Every structure is written in structure tokens, then in C-alpha cells.
Amino acid sequence: MQKILVTGAKGQLGSELQTISKHYNQYEFIFVDREELPLDELDKIKAGLNEIKPDIIVSAGAYTAVDQAESEKELVDCVNHLAVAEIAKWAANNHSKLIHISTDYVFDGTSKTALHENEKTSPINWYGETKLRGEQAILSYLPEGIIIRTSWVYSEYGNNFVKTMLRLMNERDSISVVKDQIGAPTYALDLAHVIMKIIGSEKWVPGIFHYSNNGETSWYDFAKAIHEISGLVCEVNGVTSDQFPTRAKRPKYSLLDTTKIQKTYDVVIPNWRDSLEKVLRHRLLNKN
């Protein structure tokens, strides 16, 4: 029985993978978070991997607090870059497969069309820079690895835009949301299913892939959709990035072209609004 190790077990993607793992009895799953495999303590990573001896590693653990990353640069680089390098080296030396999760924030946001996997990278914040360094480490140490860049991830788990919007819409009469940043949301459960499809596929195609839900939107229109589906009484106003400054810059346009993963692994990607309705109606709203 093949052993699958998932890092970032308590994160959004890790939690969704745990949810669906019961449907994949042909694998042994080991889910670890910072307590079991601290990505900020490099000396413990190799020892931990030697103990677990996974056949497949899903590298979903990361430092994702984009604004806070600007003031914790050494820690962020350790988790998003140096730890990933250690995992890639171990996988290469032990003939293990690796699927690593990266981000649309490796791009600068100046594109006007959906971004292909081979587009020039140029991060504009430290989080994006460290995630790019992690990608480069995998390409260097483990060319057979798979990197999946995704964007605007949300689920019923952890902290994310959807849950923040629901909370604010419950607490306030009106909110303001940036309208000039364009991309596509990703429901973590959809991504989890794709990862398991790749693992179960008869072919292993190394390299970089892009995955997000289909369609494109702005954060403002994303918030409007949350507002409409939830039925909460709150005014949602659109503002520009200049009106809503953040410590870390965000790319203005980071829509990912997902053609490659669709064709390579025969993936059918749901529209972002359909997935949003699914998670709101069936999961999140039932909790409120």
C-alpha cells in the first residue's frame, strides 16, 4: 500500500484532503502539521521524512499570511522555500513523488490575459517571492516533481475570504471590497479532488500546472456573489486598491490559464460561482 504524506494538515487544502481520504482506501494517509513536521525547523524535516518514508508527498503546508509576511521575512523564507528544498531533496534521494502547491502571487499582475505556466514570474510581495523560490528549489532538486499554482483559495476550514465576508456581513451594515484585482477563486475541495486524480492516474507528468475554478472575477464581485447567495443584509461597495492600501502589494491581474491541467489529466473544472454556491448552501451557511 502506497503511503501519502500531506503537510499542512490543518490548512484549507489539507483539511479537505482529510475529508475525502476515506474514499481512497488503497492508500495509507499520514497528515502532519507544524507539531509533527515543523517546516520552520529544517533539521527536523529530514528526520521526520525518514521516519514516515512516504511514497508520495503532497506539500500543502505554507506560510500564507501575505501582509504579515512582510515583517517576518526570515521565517517565511524558511517555511516557503528552504523547507520545500529539504522536502524536494529527500524525495529525490528516496524516489518519492512530490506534488507541491504554489500560488498566483508569483506573478506581478501586469498581464491582460490568463497566465500560462511558462509566463515570466516576477513577485511583488515577499510571500510570492518565497513561494517562487520554493518552486525553483523543486525544479532544481526534483525535476520529476509536480507544482500546482492556485489562487484565492477558500473552504469551510481555516481563515479565508469567504468566511471573512460572511462574518463582516453579519456584523456590519456596509463593507468595502477591492474591485480592481482580477483572478479566480478556488474551492479547496475541488483542488483536493484534482490532486487525488493525479495521484491515481496511470501517468505522472512533471512540471508546473495551473488550477483555479473556471471563470474570472474581482474580489468585489466575489463578495457580491457571497452576499447574494447568503442573503445577508449588508451593503457591498467597490473600492480601488489605492483606497484600500495593504502592507503587501497584490497583483492586479492573476487569472490562471488552466488548459494544461485540464488536457493532461482530463480534469473538468467547475465554474467558481457554482462551487461557491455549493460550499455556502451545503456547508458554511448551515453552521451560522
Side-chain angles (χ1 to χ4, degrees):
M1 182 182 289
Q2 286 191 309
K3 193 181 290 187
I4 300 175
L5 171 68
V6 179
T7 69
K10 294 177 183 174
Q12 298 187 82
L13 180 58
S15 296
E16 296 290 8
L17 283 165
Q18 287 196 64
T19 299
I20 66 172
S21 63
K22 61 181 178 287
H23 301 301
Y24 296 91
N25 294 327
Q26 68 270 41
Y27 303 109
E28 178 187 353
F29 287 86
I30 298 96
F31 292 93
V32 297
D33 211 81
R34 62 190 67 176
E35 293 84 7
E36 299 86 7
L37 195 74
L39 299 179
D40 57 347
E41 297 182 50
L42 300 179
D43 57 327
K44 293 185 179 179
I45 293 173
K46 184 177 179 180
L49 292 172
N50 281 334
E51 185 177 335
I52 297 166
K53 293 184 171 58
D55 301 291
I56 301 158
I57 302 169
V58 179
S59 171
Y63 185 113
T64 57
V66 179
D67 288 318
Q68 195 174 331
E70 297 295 317
S71 57
E72 293 190 311
K73 292 195 170 184
E74 192 173 328
L75 173 61
V76 184
D77 189 62
C78 184
V79 173
N80 291 350
H81 164 218
L82 300 178
V84 173
E86 289 299 313
I87 292 170
K89 287 180 203 173
W90 188 92
N93 291 332
N94 292 272
H95 310 291
S96 293
K97 293 177 177 177
L98 173 64
I99 297 176
H100 175 70
I101 307 304
S102 191
T103 174
D104 59 321
Y105 279 24
V106 299
F107 298 109
D108 63 10
T110 59
S111 177
K112 297 291 190 289
T113 56
L115 293 147
H116 296 272
E117 286 80 359
N118 57 358
E119 300 274 356
K120 181 178 180 292
T121 52
S122 182
I124 57 174
N125 58 47
W126 186 244
Y127 165 72
E129 173 63 32
T130 59
K131 291 296 287 182
L132 178 59
R133 291 180 184 185
E135 289 186 10
Q136 292 167 340
I138 292 171
L139 295 172
S140 174
Y141 296 117
L142 186 70
E144 305 82 30
I146 289 176
I147 297 165
I148 303 176
R149 292 179 184 142
T150 189
S151 61
W152 301 19
V153 178
Y154 70 93
S155 75
E156 69 171 301
Y157 302 102
N159 298 314
N160 58 67
F161 182 80
V162 174
K163 290 172 74 173
T164 298
M165 288 299 103
L166 290 174
R167 176 176 58 79
L168 292 177
M169 288 174 192
N170 270 303
E171 293 173 355
R172 300 181 185 179
D173 295 328
S174 68
I175 59 172
S176 297
V177 184
V178 171
K179 63 182 179 182
D180 58 357
Q181 294 173 17
I182 306 299
T186 303
Y187 179 25
L189 180 59
D190 292 338
L191 178 55
H193 282 302
V194 170
I195 288 169
M196 291 311 302
K197 184 166 190 175
I198 292 172
I199 289 172
S201 171
E202 293 181 0
K203 59 182 176 180
W204 181 269
V205 182
I208 299 172
F209 293 87
H210 286 174
Y211 182 88
S212 64
N213 284 126
N214 268 339
E216 71 175 81
T217 190
S218 66
W219 289 111
Y220 166 69
D221 287 320
F222 189 15
K224 288 284 285 182
I226 296 165
H227 177 251
E228 290 165 12
I229 296 166
S230 67
L232 293 170
V233 180
C234 177
E235 185 180 354
V236 182
N237 302 304
V239 295
T240 64
S241 299
D242 294 339
Q243 293 173 285
F244 193 81
T246 53
R247 193 183 308 173
K249 289 182 179 178
R250 265 64 167 182
K252 286 286 187 77
Y253 186 95
S254 60
L255 183 68
L256 301 173
D257 186 304
T258 59
T259 304
K260 181 181 175 184
I261 201 166
Q262 292 184 67
K263 288 185 174 178
T264 304
Y265 285 105
D266 192 27
V267 172
V268 178
I269 303 179
N271 181 271
W272 70 265
R273 181 154 181 142
D274 292 339
S275 287
L276 177 64
E277 289 206 24
K278 180 177 166 185
V279 71
L280 283 177
R281 294 193 190 285
H282 296 163
R283 298 173 86 169
L284 280 173
L285 288 179
N286 292 332
K287 292 187 170 187
N288 291 339

